Amino acid sequence: HLMATLPALLLLVAVFVLNARWIEKPLLSPERSFSAYWVRLGLVSISGLAVGWLWWAVAILRWRIWARARGADEKETQRLGQRTLLLWPKRALED
């Protein structure tokens, strides 16, 4: 969790913090400013989620490779990851 989930959450927050001024920056007319705020907030939310998800995906892949290199069973690694809410459950077709 320290190498996958925590950095992903920190990256998500960092995207919001770095774009806070852009989100609240008013446009020329007040009528457009309110809708532009929501559009900007949506764009920053999607980009923050994308950055966080990409980090998580790479970190989980590295964790699986690390565990396999140390002789861990893949099914047991999956079960451990699911129990600790680090991994999504695999679909039934993949088992």
Side-chain angles (χ1 to χ4, degrees):
H1 282 286
L2 291 176
M3 296 305 291
T5 308
L6 184 61
L9 291 174
L10 291 176
L11 283 169
L12 176 68
V13 170
V15 168
F16 275 98
V17 169
L18 293 173
N19 290 295
R21 283 192 181 192
W22 181 70
I23 292 171
E24 66 183 17
K25 183 179 177 182
L27 294 178
L28 297 176
S29 67
E31 300 86 35
R32 292 187 54 200
S33 182
F34 186 70
S35 64
Y37 169 80
W38 289 107
V39 169
R40 291 174 180 177
L41 183 62
L43 289 173
V44 170
S45 298
I46 290 170
S47 62
L49 286 171
V51 168
W53 192 286
L54 286 172
W55 174 271
W56 178 84
V58 170
I60 290 301
L61 178 61
R62 292 183 70 201
W63 176 67
R64 287 181 187 268
I65 292 169
W66 174 85
R68 189 179 313 131
R70 281 155 181 73
D73 179 49
E74 287 187 42
K75 288 187 178 188
E76 186 59 33
T77 303
Q78 178 67 32
R79 275 188 239 125
L80 175 65
Q82 284 179 222
R83 265 188 268 137
T84 60
L85 301 177
L86 186 61
L87 298 176
W88 295 83
K90 282 195 171 186
R91 291 192 279 166
L93 296 175
E94 295 178 1
D95 288 337

